[in-house]
Amino acid sequence: MNNREKLEKMDRALRLLEDLKNSQQAMVEKASQLQLDAMEFNFSEMEKNMGELFSRYNQSLDFVNQEIERFEIKRNQFEQKHGLDKMDEE
């Protein structure tokens, strides 16, 4: 696999990470809404469980965001190291 192909695979991985981030964000929002609904319905066990899910999903979202940042840095360094950023400008 040449460097251009590696960069394309890295870009694909970034897109997948972004998709994962978006899915995780949706889960955070849904868990939060369900926790609020449980409060309104006075379902204390569901409220507690949705609060726990919210916390876990939020931590996972933070983890995914950190991974995206780290991977973008590595991807950009790879692109610059191999002069692939200059090839696009020509």
Side-chain angles (χ1 to χ4, degrees):
M1 172 180 332
N2 68 34
N3 290 333
R4 174 58 64 190
E5 291 169 332
K6 284 182 185 178
L7 186 63
E8 288 171 4
K9 279 197 156 211
M10 289 177 172
D11 288 340
R12 180 180 174 271
L14 271 176
R15 287 190 301 274
L16 290 173
L17 283 166
E18 287 292 331
D19 285 347
L20 184 60
K21 176 182 136 180
N22 293 336
S23 297
Q24 199 64 37
Q25 180 64 43
M27 291 171 65
V28 167
E29 291 170 5
K30 289 174 184 177
S32 176
Q33 184 59 53
L34 286 168
Q35 184 181 21
L36 290 173
D37 290 348
M39 290 168 76
E40 187 177 316
F41 302 140
N42 201 23
F43 294 158
S44 60
E45 189 171 336
M46 182 179 172
E47 179 185 344
K48 178 183 169 223
N49 290 337
M50 291 304 108
E52 180 64 29
L53 276 178
F54 173 83
S55 295
R56 289 181 186 184
Y57 293 157
N58 208 35
Q59 287 174 342
S60 182
L61 179 60
D62 290 343
F63 181 77
V64 170
N65 281 327
Q66 290 170 1
E67 194 58 38
I68 288 171
E69 288 177 28
R70 281 193 293 266
F71 192 72
E72 281 180 330
I73 290 168
K74 293 284 186 186
R75 181 241 175 254
N76 293 341
Q77 289 172 342
F78 180 86
E79 181 182 45
Q80 289 177 347
K81 177 182 177 183
H82 296 285
L84 300 170
D85 55 335
K86 293 180 178 83
M87 291 176 68
D88 290 338
E89 295 172 0
E90 295 175 359

